[in-house]
Amino acid sequence: MIETNRPAAAPAEDEPDLLRDQFRQLLRYRRLIALGVGTGLLGGVYLGVSTADTYVATADIVLRAPTDDPFNPSLAPDKAINIGSERQVALSSSIANEAAKKLGVSATDFSALRAGLQVTNPPQTMVLRFTYTAGSPAEAATRANAMSEAYLLKRQEALDVTRDKMVKGYQEQRDPVAKQLEELTKQTTGMPAGPARDAAYAAKTDQQSKINTLNGNIAKLKALDMTPGRVTSTAVPPHGADGPGLPMSLALGAAVGLALGLLGAWVRLVFDPAPRSEGDVARALRAPVLGSLPRGKADGGPLLAAGEEDPRLAEEFRSVAFRLAYDARFADRRRLLVVAPRGSSEIAAAVAVNLAASFAETGKDVLLIEADLRTPVLASQLPTDASGRPNWSKSKGSAGAQHAEAEWPDGRQLLVDAGESGSFDLIPGERVRNVPRALTSQRATRLISEADSPNSTVVVLAPPVLSYADALALVDRVDGVLVVCNPGAVRRTDLSRIRELISGAGGTVLGAVLHAPLPGEKKRGLGRAPKGGGPAAEDPRPAPPSAPSPRRSEPQPIPYEVAAADAAQHIPGDGTDTVALRTVRTGRR
């Protein structure tokens, strides 16, 4: 007895695994990353060239507030001076005008003079830093010093004007009081002693007190130290250009471009509808990825991979079959439905045939049912033999045996020689008038139930699940589904919809097999439908024209030479494609 286990429905990935997976996916967009790096390098070249002849000179000024006692620690300079306002004043046009007069700059160059100045304030200081950028070292230093001196001169003038206005205001208040005091003095000189004289002396004292107060304020203003500030660092001509240089600019541009390229690749990855990794497919289907067919080995050549010179493809199919054999969901019923999402079923047919061969290699009795009744081709592409094999789909002794030969499955069964893997039985598909009725008939149900026999396995190949509803009609009897897809040609929403449809029909997605793009998928691209309309027109597989089927007593499988000749003589669009879909084999009815 083989012990089986039930794998998780979806692989559990921790955060480092997801990050590594995303980083690997980012590397798929090499063109976008290269574009970002190229753009960054161009920006680095521009930065290096544009700053090659740029020179910067700096002058520092420490601001002071007017004070009568510079050693008084109770007076905080930051309370008396608004450093932000002073910075705006230093950048004003009045300062630039004063500097232009000193430098002899014309009116046409005035805007350029202002554009080269930058004034900053280091944090927690009363320092204004005048930084000037020019095309030569001497010009940068000269203009930086001129701007700082112009600012100090204008600030000195503003402080002097403010003090003069205040002094003048005190004097205007003092003059009327002094005149009144002089008149009172004249009046009290000849007055006799008494209450009137005492009142006059009191008024005189009050007036004298006011005059003394005003004189004190005027004297205090005139005694203020009005120095606006001092230059702590004079601008000197710089020794070199201010730019980082061409090598550093290129390095910075490459780093920034790489960051932009990775950001663009990440945005492209986020909005990419196609699953770009096995993890995306597993998360969309909520089932593990059982295998990935080698690139260049998934299309072309015979369907059977056994006996090929390169054994990688056959070993990959054996690995998928081994993982299915140890899955309890498959091992309990041994029924497998192989489908593609949409488009061509060429790779799905190859997967179904090679899985049947792999199961037969383990000693199981394998029956491969071609339930693709719209474009059946397996009988013409496999080495078959119909002699000496029991008909699994017959109803022995049944009164309706003659009627059972009229519709698919009609009892025709072929033996497929898989070389070293052994052999397995094939129930070939054929075109019928009503596909859903044929798939849901009692004969098809009895055929699929052959998996209930000991050591038996049934593999069913169905058309694309999103193109036709044929696969969903079989899910309730073949509940284990294997999805064969190209991650670059299918959307995550398609895989999620497949999972929902299969789960709603009572089936289970056992896993997925990934393959490289087919030539038609590379040209068509993701999400584009070929000209001609509906889903039935998507990547139809070429099929030989319908011919009368041999009777069960005289089986005549189609040899390779006949199939090749039919394919060579077939002309697409000559009308036989449509006629073949509507042909009914009346010879056995």
Side-chain angles (χ1 to χ4, degrees), residues 188-199:
T188 56
T189 302
M191 292 182 64
R197 184 178 179 180
D198 294 339

Side-chain angles (χ1 to χ4, degrees), residues 67 69-79:
T67 179
D69 186 2
F71 304 103
N72 184 7
S74 63
L75 180 62
D78 58 340
K79 302 298 182 183

Side-chain angles (χ1 to χ4, degrees), residues 196-218:
R197 184 178 179 180
D198 294 339
Y201 273 110
K204 179 181 177 181
T205 303
D206 185 50
Q207 295 294 335
Q208 187 65 48
S209 176
K210 292 181 180 180
I211 292 175
N212 292 336
T213 301
L214 293 173
N215 286 335
N217 292 336
I218 293 173

Side-chain angles (χ1 to χ4, degrees), residues 173-182 207 210-211 214:
Q173 295 180 32
R174 183 193 62 182
D175 290 343
V177 177
K179 187 175 182 180
Q180 293 178 6
L181 178 61
E182 184 179 357
Q207 295 294 335
K210 292 181 180 180
I211 292 175
L214 293 173

Side-chain angles (χ1 to χ4, degrees), residues 341-345 464 466-468 524 527-541:
R342 62 171 77 248
S344 173
S345 293
L466 295 180
S467 300
Y468 306 98
R524 188 175 71 240
R528 296 183 184 176
K531 295 180 181 180
E538 296 184 4
D539 290 343
R541 288 177 291 155

Side-chain angles (χ1 to χ4, degrees), residues 2-5 7 289-293 312-332 334-336 338 350-364 366 421 457-459 482 484 510-513:
I2 298 177
E3 296 183 0
T4 59
N5 64 315
V289 175
L290 301 180
S292 181
L293 304 186
R312 290 181 298 168
L313 186 58
E315 291 301 326
E316 187 66 27
F317 285 122
R318 291 189 182 99
S319 175
V320 175
F322 180 82
R323 296 187 66 178
L324 286 172
Y326 279 84
D327 188 341
R329 295 171 296 179
F330 172 76
D332 291 344
R334 301 182 304 282
R335 293 178 175 88
L336 181 65
V338 181
V351 171
V353 170
N354 286 278
L355 286 181
S358 299
F359 288 133
E361 190 174 5
T362 62
K364 294 184 178 298
V366 182
S421 299
T457 301
V458 173
V459 180
L482 181 66
V484 181
L510 299 179
V513 174

